[in-house]
Amino acid sequence: MPLTPDFQNWQQVMDLIKQSADDEQHSLLLTMLMTPDERDVLLARVNIFHELLKGDLSQRQVSQLLGVGIATITRGSNELKNHSEMDKEWLQQLLSGEREAN
């Protein structure tokens, strides 16, 4: 019988994160799953999306502000292009803290 991992797809990981959030242990789970470098990369990605969605700075300026390469900014921009305006509006509200006020 061939061995296979118990977790084989992204949805299973998302389910783990949701369950950990429901248990108020999401910080612990994500800290355990990610190295400090991976957490820094995720923080940079959040800031990239936040700055791109605000639209105040050019991609080059975002790159300089965050200390990441222009290719990293472009990948973030390209990912945003794969989502609907409604998805982008939701993310912008989430990142700006507007959802907490509603």
Side-chain angles (χ1 to χ4, degrees), residues 45-59 62 73 76-77 79-81 83-96 98:
R45 190 64 173 264
V46 168
N47 279 305
I48 289 166
F49 282 170
H50 183 59
E51 292 301 330
L52 290 174
L53 289 168
K54 282 194 317 187
D56 297 335
L57 302 174
S58 69
Q59 287 189 20
V62 174
I73 306 301
S77 177
E79 182 60 32
L80 283 174
K81 290 175 186 174
H83 295 276
S84 70
E85 290 303 315
M86 187 173 15
D87 289 348
K88 289 185 264 191
E89 176 66 24
W90 170 84
L91 182 58
Q92 185 174 19
Q93 288 177 359
L94 180 68
L95 295 175
S96 68
E98 294 174 21

Side-chain angles (χ1 to χ4, degrees), residues 4-18:
T4 59
D6 290 337
F7 298 94
Q8 297 185 32
N9 63 62
W10 180 243
Q11 187 57 52
Q12 289 174 298
V13 174
M14 295 305 301
D15 292 343
L16 284 176
I17 294 170
K18 182 180 182 328

Side-chain angles (χ1 to χ4, degrees), residues 22-81:
D22 291 347
D23 295 343
E24 297 183 7
Q25 295 294 321
H26 51 286
S27 180
L28 175 63
L29 176 66
L30 292 173
T31 300
M32 291 176 72
L33 290 177
M34 300 171 74
T35 67
D37 286 344
E38 290 167 333
R39 292 191 297 268
D40 288 345
V41 168
L42 185 57
L43 177 60
R45 190 64 173 264
V46 168
N47 279 305
I48 289 166
F49 282 170
H50 183 59
E51 292 301 330
L52 290 174
L53 289 168
K54 282 194 317 187
D56 297 335
L57 302 174
S58 69
Q59 287 189 20
R60 185 161 308 285
Q61 290 170 316
V62 174
S63 171
Q64 292 170 346
L65 173 70
L66 301 177
V68 299
I70 191 72
T72 303
I73 306 301
T74 300
R75 284 191 298 275
S77 177
N78 288 339
E79 182 60 32
L80 283 174
K81 290 175 186 174

